[in-house]
Amino acid sequence: MNKGLTLRNVCILRGQSPLIEVDYNISEGEVLTVMGPSGVGKSTLLAFITGTLPSGFKGMGQVLLDGEDITSRPPHQRHIGILFQDDLLFPHMSVGANLAFGMPAGGTMTARRAKIDTALADVGLSGYSDRDPATLSGGQKARVALVRMLLSNPSALLLDEAFSRLDAELRAQVRDLVFRVAKERKLPVLMVTHDGEDAKAAGGKIIELESLTKN
Amino acid sequence: MLRFLPALTLLAMLGPVIAGLWGTVLPAFGHLPAAGLSGPSLDPFRTLFDWQGLGAASRLSLTTGLIATSVSLAIVAFITAGWSGTKSFRVLERLLSPLLSVPHAAAALGLAFLITPSGWIARLMSPTLTGWDRPPDVLILQDPLGLAMIAGLVIKEVPFLLLMTIAAMGQAQPRRSLLVAQALGYGRPTGWLKTVFPRVYYQIRLPIYVVLAYSMSVVDVAVILGPSTPPTLSVQIVKWMSDPDLAMRLTGAAAALWQLGLVVFALGLWWVGERAVAHLGCHWIASGRRGRFDGPVRVVSLILGGLSACAILFGILGLIVWSFAGFWSFPNVWPDTFTWRSWDRHGPDALATLGETFLVAGVAVGFALVLVLGCLEAEHRSGRSLSWRGLWLLYLPLLVPQTAFLPGLQTLLLNLGADIGRVPVIFAHLVFVLPYVFLSLGDPWRSWDVRNATVASALGATPNRIFWQVRLPMLTRPILTAVAVGIAVSVGQYLATLLIGGGRVSTLTTEAVALASGGDRRAIGVYGLMQTFAALVPFTLALLIPTLVWRNRRGLHE
């Protein structure tokens, strides 16, 4: 059985024409970087993996997570975490409520609360639980988004240009944090980016996508 | 369950329209079992064509509709051309948005108080300018050409079309086009009209058609401001339909079909006009002329837009003053005394009617909200968005003249022996409330960032949980605004309440319009104000509630 995230003969079509093709196995703790100019369909690939492919696109091939075929599972049963370039913290929930939303149900309120507080402390945000996410700085929001995703116990991690909104210094910090945590938890990571620095920092294999539909 | 909601919505929206048209066609061809008549025969049409007033009534219907629509559109187009993106425009936008919710009847009553020979304008100018020391005997109100009625329609349609235009501009990126045009030496109005307007017009076409169909067949505004001998076709239809002699319903039904034909004809005429204007416009664009009237266009459009807003504002002020007026002699600008007497006399009844109004509105809007949210969520989950055909279906109940299908619906209910009363009224209101709630909520619902849903489902949230815990709370503001729009639409319904309620359901609108013919200005003041209040309060709440509930959530106020 293959541990990790496997993309087996994945091909995504827009209408009739093929957009991207990928065939790769990302093992535990490995980071696969997919690079390419915008409009080439990088985010579409991630949408196929999360099960949220927009209408007008068609995906073929299989997505396997730890050897299990999840291609036809609904999005919420895939256990694949995703981070976008925007933090996408739910603006109507406090920081703590955002984290609680992501945690699997179960456990007493005190236990859940304690878990949230510890997780926040781990990323240097002790005491932020009751804060309005809109009052946080960009770096803090990015860290909360990461913690929220990790608390949901994902089995793989997707990064959709996740660091591109952050300025250079912060970017390196957040990026190192994400990669470190992913290694610790042995998560296979698929990163989509157009930034060479991100790819270098990931240190894994890089797939350069080019447009299959030549104009 | 969710899968059936779109079909159920269509049924709730179009079912009564189709049934109503059917109920109109049958008696129009002489078939009315309730009166012991069975067709088919062409007698109803013969009676209709024998009616002396038909020519004048049809002409009135056409001219008021076409003129009111063109004038409203022209004011809106020129204001937006001359001022969009400026400070004055934002002021005007703020001023006009709340006016959108003022019911047609209340706006018409307010306007009537301004322009009658004994109204505020005459009082302000008398006796110094006019030399009148008592109200002159001229018919400014209910003039045979329908000018007062056109004015009453224009002041209400300008805010509607302006807000539609502003919404449409979001997609047209007017700023960049205007910058390019200005860099090429075009002034603001000409540049906007040549580069932005064609795209915006395409977006607001359906709302314009709605305005045209509505203006041609409106009843409440026509009763208040329109001519009476003969009245507009729609008013005459209602008269025939409420005649104790059941046979008159046949004539009414025939007239309703005639009205439908007139509206279709006018829409066709407008469509031809669109092509003519587009053709001329293309010439104008190709000519490269930079426009010689930019200055006057800006000034005149702003004056007209301001006048239109002021007419409603001062009209409402007039309602307020009359409701508190004691003795008020001509030509004094203010009443000689102020008193609570009118409120003491009419207040309790008006309050009870307010309760009935809100009950009908609340239930209708509740149904509408469930159906609309269900449709939008089904649309989201299936990934299929509303097509052009779907949009037309949504506008259909607003395009078919009310006078064409509501009388038929009433007849049908009578034939079935169904109870006429509150429940049918609620469903009749739903026909009009549904499209507006849908149109109001559709855009904000669809422009919600779906990556929020992706993130939530990546966190393991089911589609239902995403709907209830993420999407609904994040969209509190537009949902409440849609509710307010729905309530305003329901509160403003005149014909649906009058005909389907069979006189047994009275809302503030039916009461206010009934009072209009009597001429007790103090009572009109009370009911007109209550009606405005009933439509405005939900909007105020829609602004206030999210601000209070989410006061500690800055991200929801941007």
Side-chain angles (χ1 to χ4, degrees):
Chain A
M1 184 179 85
N2 263 336
K3 279 289 208 177
L5 180 66
T6 309
L7 305 178
R8 188 180 289 165
N9 299 321
V10 167
C11 173
I12 294 170
L13 305 168
R14 174 162 47 201
Q16 296 299 319
S17 50
L19 198 61
I20 28 177
E21 287 171 355
V22 181
D23 184 40
Y24 192 82
N25 174 49
I26 312 167
S27 51
E28 294 179 318
E30 184 191 353
V31 181
L32 170 68
T33 305
V34 174
M35 289 193 71
S38 57
V40 77
K42 292 172 299 189
S43 298
T44 318
L45 175 64
L46 298 190
F48 177 62
I49 300 171
T50 55
T52 52
L53 205 59
S55 58
F57 293 92
K58 196 170 141 52
M60 299 191 301
Q62 288 161 312
V63 182
L64 288 85
L65 191 56
D66 296 335
E68 234 181 297
D69 188 352
I70 59 165
T71 322
S72 52
R73 274 198 205 159
H76 62 279
Q77 286 168 4
R78 295 192 177 207
H79 299 286
I80 294 182
I82 185 166
L83 292 176
F84 290 99
Q85 58 178 338
D86 300 298
D87 54 83
L88 295 172
L89 296 176
F90 305 128
H92 58 295
M93 299 179 188
S94 67
V95 168
N98 262 284
L99 302 188
F101 181 90
M103 277 165 65
T108 62
M109 288 312 267
T110 5
R112 290 174 73 85
R113 179 93 202 182
K115 204 169 171 189
I116 288 169
D117 288 341
T118 322
L120 281 173
D122 283 349
V123 292
L125 292 172
S126 303
Y128 275 69
S129 187
D130 290 328
R131 288 278 292 268
D132 174 3
T135 61
L136 268 51
S137 74
Q140 290 170 334
K141 286 181 193 166
R143 276 179 279 162
V144 175
L146 172 67
V147 172
R148 177 175 69 173
M149 201 266 309
L150 291 174
L151 281 178
S152 73
N153 290 333
S155 306
L157 174 53
L158 307 179
L159 303 172
D160 190 352
E161 306 270 5
F163 315 117
S164 60
R165 282 281 171 90
L166 303 169
D167 58 45
E169 198 182 334
L170 209 55
R171 187 181 181 117
Q173 259 181 39
V174 174
R175 190 168 55 204
D176 290 347
L177 175 68
V178 171
F179 289 154
R180 200 187 69 225
V181 175
K183 270 228 164 61
E184 280 168 16
R185 299 205 175 196
K186 296 188 175 165
L187 291 175
V189 179
L190 172 54
M191 174 170 71
V192 150
T193 182
H194 61 258
D195 182 80
E197 286 291 313
D198 285 350
K200 214 186 288 168
K205 186 176 160 62
I206 298 173
I207 297 181
E208 291 263 6
L209 282 184
E210 45 194 315
S211 188
L212 289 179
T213 48
K214 294 268 183 279
N215 328 323
Chain B
M1 179 59 204
L2 203 57
R3 270 186 305 155
F4 300 112
L5 280 183
L8 203 61
T9 308
L10 273 186
L11 185 72
M13 219 165 56
L14 298 181
V17 178
I18 294 166
L21 285 176
W22 180 240
T24 305
V25 169
L26 288 183
F29 291 97
H31 192 76
L32 187 65
L37 297 162
S38 58
S41 90
L42 285 175
D43 289 340
F45 282 98
R46 274 188 210 111
T47 326
L48 173 67
F49 292 131
D50 284 342
W51 177 51
Q52 295 286 324
L54 185 66
S58 306
R59 201 177 55 240
L60 257 177
S61 186
L62 276 172
T63 51
T64 48
L66 288 168
I67 294 175
T69 311
S70 334
V71 170
S72 312
L73 177 61
I75 293 178
V76 167
F78 288 131
I79 286 183
T80 322
W83 299 91
S84 70
T86 68
K87 216 178 193 169
S88 325
F89 191 73
R90 274 192 296 280
V91 171
L92 199 67
E93 185 189 340
R94 289 239 177 86
L95 209 62
L96 288 173
S97 328
L99 298 186
L100 184 61
S101 65
V102 175
H104 274 87
L109 289 169
L111 183 68
F113 281 5
L114 287 182
I115 61 173
T116 49
S118 58
W120 245 347
I121 292 174
R123 285 168 185 271
L124 275 174
M125 296 192 303
S126 304
T128 35
L129 282 175
T130 57
W132 300 337
D133 49 12
R134 54 200 183 97
D137 191 22
V138 284
L139 272 179
I140 293 181
L141 258 192
Q142 307 191 319
D143 58 290
L145 288 177
L147 296 179
M149 181 181 163
I150 290 172
L153 286 167
V154 168
I155 59 172
K156 268 300 292 170
E157 301 313 342
V158 164
F160 175 67
L161 287 180
L162 189 69
L163 291 180
M164 283 292 175
T165 305
I166 290 168
M169 276 203 297
Q171 297 165 16
Q173 301 202 318
R175 191 184 294 273
R176 288 201 277 174
S177 305
L178 195 57
L179 269 176
V180 172
Q182 284 176 322
L184 293 173
Y186 285 91
R188 183 187 276 277
T190 309
W192 191 90
L193 284 174
K194 287 190 174 184
T195 61
V196 185
F197 183 65
R199 279 174 291 158
V200 167
Y201 184 82
Y202 186 71
Q203 301 268 339
I204 60 169
R205 247 175 115 188
L206 283 173
I208 289 173
Y209 292 176
V210 169
V211 169
L212 181 56
Y214 179 86
S215 306
M216 284 184 67
S217 54
V218 67
V219 174
D220 47 359
V221 177
V223 167
I224 297 165
L225 293 172
S228 50
T229 44
T232 64
L233 189 57
S234 293
V235 176
Q236 186 60 43
I237 293 172
V238 176
K239 276 189 183 160
W240 277 324
M241 292 312 292
S242 18
D243 200 292
D245 178 5
L246 279 183
M248 293 313 284
R249 280 168 191 269
L250 302 183
T251 321
L257 281 191
W258 178 251
Q259 168 83 276
L260 178 64
L262 281 180
V263 169
V264 171
F265 172 71
L267 286 172
L269 213 59
W270 190 270
W271 188 82
V272 171
E274 275 176 358
R275 255 130 212 85
V277 171
H279 186 73
L280 291 175
C282 286
H283 263 284
W284 188 47
I285 292 172
S287 74
R289 274 197 291 262
R290 261 51 175 177
R292 281 175 298 164
F293 303 108
D294 279 3
V297 161
R298 295 191 75 188
V299 176
V300 171
S301 66
L302 194 67
I303 291 175
L304 288 177
L307 261 182
S308 146
C310 286
I312 300 191
L313 287 175
F314 282 100
I316 292 171
L317 192 63
L319 294 175
I320 297 177
V321 172
W322 267 111
S323 77
F324 287 106
F327 186 69
W328 191 354
S329 54
F330 192 87
N332 291 352
V333 174
W334 297 102
D336 307 354
T337 53
F338 284 96
T339 162
W340 282 98
R341 209 172 50 222
S342 313
W343 285 94
D344 285 340
R345 187 178 302 159
H346 304 291
D349 279 347
L351 214 57
T353 317
L354 179 77
E356 178 76 31
T357 309
F358 273 150
L359 179 66
V360 170
V363 178
V365 172
F367 277 124
L369 196 63
V370 170
L371 289 172
V372 168
L373 284 174
C375 283
L376 288 170
E377 183 64 10
E379 182 185 306
H380 167 66
R381 290 190 193 177
S382 68
R384 275 195 306 261
S385 58
L386 193 70
S387 61
W388 257 107
R389 212 178 324 151
L391 198 63
W392 268 97
L393 284 180
L394 210 52
Y395 272 97
L396 203 63
L398 308 176
L399 287 173
V400 177
Q402 298 186 18
T403 30
F405 74 91
L406 285 175
L409 197 59
Q410 186 206 32
T411 312
L412 214 59
L413 286 172
L414 275 180
N415 276 342
L416 290 172
D419 192 32
I420 285 196
R422 193 183 288 146
V423 174
V425 168
I426 288 172
F427 281 98
H429 280 208
L430 190 57
V431 172
F432 304 99
V433 170
L434 255 176
Y436 280 110
V437 171
F438 211 121
L439 293 170
S440 156
L441 193 53
D443 281 343
W445 186 270
R446 293 189 192 101
S447 58
W448 181 72
D449 191 341
V450 285
R451 291 179 309 166
N452 282 302
T454 308
V455 165
S457 61
L459 294 172
T462 61
N464 283 337
R465 187 157 174 240
I466 297 173
F467 176 78
W468 291 107
Q469 292 188 14
V470 181
R471 199 164 195 171
L472 277 194
M474 281 180 77
L475 294 172
T476 316
R477 196 178 282 277
I479 289 171
L480 289 179
T481 306
V483 167
V485 167
I487 292 180
V489 169
S490 171
V491 166
Q493 289 305 315
Y494 173 68
L495 198 59
T497 320
L498 183 78
L499 288 183
I500 309 300
R504 272 197 272 158
V505 180
S506 55
T507 61
L508 289 168
T509 301
T510 54
E511 290 297 303
V513 177
L515 284 169
S517 54
D520 178 353
R521 297 188 180 194
R522 291 167 183 83
I524 293 176
V526 170
Y527 275 88
L529 267 185
M530 289 290 269
Q531 198 203 8
T532 311
F533 174 81
L536 271 176
V537 165
F539 275 97
T540 319
L541 290 178
L543 280 177
L544 271 178
I545 292 175
T547 313
L548 286 176
V549 171
W550 303 125
R551 65 187 175 284
N552 292 325
R553 295 287 176 259
R554 228 173 54 193
L556 288 166
H557 302 301
E558 279 148 14

